[in-house]
């Protein structure tokens, strides 16, 4: 446990330091998010925070010697996805290009053995895994719509992933979770509302793909039967999954393009009815933590015994 704490703190310190550096560099090169009608902030904000999260995750992982084949593949895939996000931050890529890149990276993970085994039909499992990886990647991109929301929810998800991996004696998965948790928390110091820096698409894509892949690397989803294969990761990532589903459905019903941003997320709607921005962020932290606790209970005592909590 002490090793996990040490590397987690290393990642936290590195993330915080790099975030401060990225703030200055982004302002100097003009890479800032300007205020727009479909965005939440009212002043230009530096947009390189994702670089700090990526470096603070991958560098400690490399130095710690946790370089198993699966974690190495996941790190390269997440780095590739972050590069696509960074290119989008700089050049504003078309949605079709970003989706194609996500599918290619997800296909590479599939080819490397990352697979959700939820049925007896291999082709169906491949399709579900592809949807899972691409879906969670985009879910965090959509969730990054308010200061501190995506980074905080990712940190909470990483914390529960750390506990589950620790309970299953998965030392490599626990170390990856601890480092990722530290990287998110170090960035969150400067991103919590009012944010002084944004993670950009580079950060949100990295968060989503790393967490989606981490749920496939860790042993815990496969240790308690088929139900746990999907129940545990879905519960841990409930907030981005719900927000993505909600926004997708409402935009389809209103005839709006899915790829066009807007102030129609669940977080924005809560602010519209009078909740403070910090209150909304803390509320979603609570929801993420509550669903994570249900995941822990489901894992410890069985899904059938925690079904009432699941409903709540």
């Amino acid at each position: 446990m002490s090793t996990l704490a040490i590397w987690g703190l290393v990642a936290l310190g590195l993330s915080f330091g790099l975030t401060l550096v990225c703030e200055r560099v982004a302002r100097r090169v003009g890479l800032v998010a300007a205020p727009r009608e479909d965005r939440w902030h009212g002043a230009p904000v530096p947009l390189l925070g994702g670089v700090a999260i990526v470096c603070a995750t991958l560098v400690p992982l490399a130095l710690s010697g946790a370089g198993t084949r699966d974690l190495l593949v996941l790190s390269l895939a997440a780095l590739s996805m972050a590069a696509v996000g960074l290119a989008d931050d700089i050049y504003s890529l078309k949605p079709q290009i970003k989706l194609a890149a996500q599918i290619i990276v997800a296909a590479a993970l599939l080819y490397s053995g990352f697979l959700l085994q939820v049925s007896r039909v291999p082709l169906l499992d491949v399709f579900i895994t592809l949807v899972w990886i691409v879906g969670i990647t985009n879910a965090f991109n959509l969730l990054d719509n308010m200061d501190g929301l995506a980074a905080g929810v990712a940190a909470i998800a990483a914390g529960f992933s750390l506990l589950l991996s620790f309970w299953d004696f998965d030392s490599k998965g626990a170390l990856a979770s601890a480092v990722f948790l530290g990287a998110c928390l170090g960035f969150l110091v400067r991103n919590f509302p009012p944010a002084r820096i944004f993670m950009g698409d580079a950060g949100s894509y990295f968060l989503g793909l790393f967490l989606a892949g981490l749920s496939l690397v860790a042993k815990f989803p496969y240790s308690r039967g088929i139900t746990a294969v999907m129940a545990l990761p879905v519960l841990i990532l409930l907030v981005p999954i719900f927000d993505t589903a909600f926004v997708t459905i409402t935009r389809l019903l209103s005839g709006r393009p899915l790829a066009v941003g807007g102030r129609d997320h669940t977080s924005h709607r809560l602010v519209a009815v009078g909740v403070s921005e910090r209150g909304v962020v803390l509320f979603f932290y609570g929801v993420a933590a509550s669903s994570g606790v249900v995941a822990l209970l489901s894992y410890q005592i069985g899904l059938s015994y925690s079904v009432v909590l699941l409903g709540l």
Side-chain angles (χ1 to χ4, degrees):
M1 193 66 180
S2 59
T3 302
L4 297 178
I6 290 171
W7 283 110
L9 289 173
V10 168
L12 189 152
L14 184 60
S15 177
F16 178 70
L18 289 174
T19 298
L20 294 176
V21 172
C22 288
E23 278 186 53
R24 295 186 178 183
V25 172
R27 290 189 184 279
R28 186 166 298 179
V29 301
L31 189 55
V32 297
R36 285 168 26 191
E37 276 190 22
D38 62 341
R39 300 301 179 189
W40 196 248
H41 58 285
V45 179
L47 203 58
L48 273 179
V51 174
I53 298 174
V54 172
C55 294
T57 301
L58 300 186
V59 171
L61 272 181
L63 295 177
S64 66
T68 63
R69 176 189 174 276
D70 285 345
L71 283 178
L72 178 60
V73 170
L74 176 58
S75 297
L76 291 174
L79 180 61
S80 300
M81 204 68 258
V84 173
L86 183 60
D88 186 42
D89 291 331
I90 298 173
Y91 303 110
S92 297
L93 303 178
K94 293 181 178 180
Q96 300 91 323
I97 296 177
K98 292 185 286 186
L99 180 60
Q102 292 165 8
I103 293 174
I104 291 172
V105 173
L109 286 176
L110 274 165
Y111 181 77
S112 301
F114 288 69
L115 185 67
L116 277 170
Q117 301 171 14
V118 297
S119 74
R120 296 181 180 180
V121 183
L123 189 59
L124 180 59
D125 287 343
V126 168
F127 175 76
I128 292 174
T129 305
L130 189 68
V131 171
W132 172 257
I133 296 172
V134 174
I136 296 300
T137 301
N138 280 296
F140 270 95
N141 183 245
L142 288 173
L143 189 66
D144 186 28
N145 58 69
M146 189 169 284
D147 298 353
L149 187 53
V153 170
I156 292 169
F160 283 106
S161 176
L162 169 61
L163 283 175
L164 289 168
S165 296
F166 185 75
W167 285 349
D168 250 359
F169 303 102
D170 180 7
S171 58
K172 301 299 184 182
L175 184 58
S177 300
V179 167
F180 184 75
L181 171 61
C184 291
L185 292 177
F187 169 75
L188 192 59
V189 174
R190 300 292 291 173
N191 184 242
F192 192 76
R196 277 79 75 191
I197 187 171
F198 290 160
M199 67 175 66
D201 285 352
S204 61
Y205 282 168
F206 179 82
L207 294 184
L209 192 131
F210 194 88
L211 282 172
L214 191 60
S215 68
L216 306 180
V217 171
K219 298 175 183 178
F220 62 82
Y222 303 100
S223 58
R224 298 296 174 92
I226 295 300
T227 305
V229 172
M230 288 307 296
L232 289 176
V234 166
L235 281 169
I236 291 174
L237 298 173
L238 184 64
V239 169
I241 291 173
F242 173 80
D243 186 65
T244 300
F246 181 82
V247 170
T248 300
I249 292 171
T250 54
R251 289 183 182 179
L252 287 175
L253 291 176
S254 60
R256 294 183 57 224
L258 297 178
V260 177
R263 297 187 176 189
D264 56 349
H265 292 268
T266 48
S267 53
H268 299 153
R269 293 170 187 267
L270 288 172
V271 171
V273 297
V275 184
S276 69
E277 185 176 342
R278 284 195 175 191
V280 170
V281 172
L282 293 174
F283 168 74
F284 279 110
Y285 288 177
V287 173
S290 299
S291 61
V293 169
V294 176
L296 293 182
L297 292 174
S298 300
Y299 183 71
Q300 288 289 70
I301 66 177
L303 192 63
S304 59
Y305 291 98
S306 56
V307 67
V308 175
L309 290 174
L310 193 62
L312 292 174

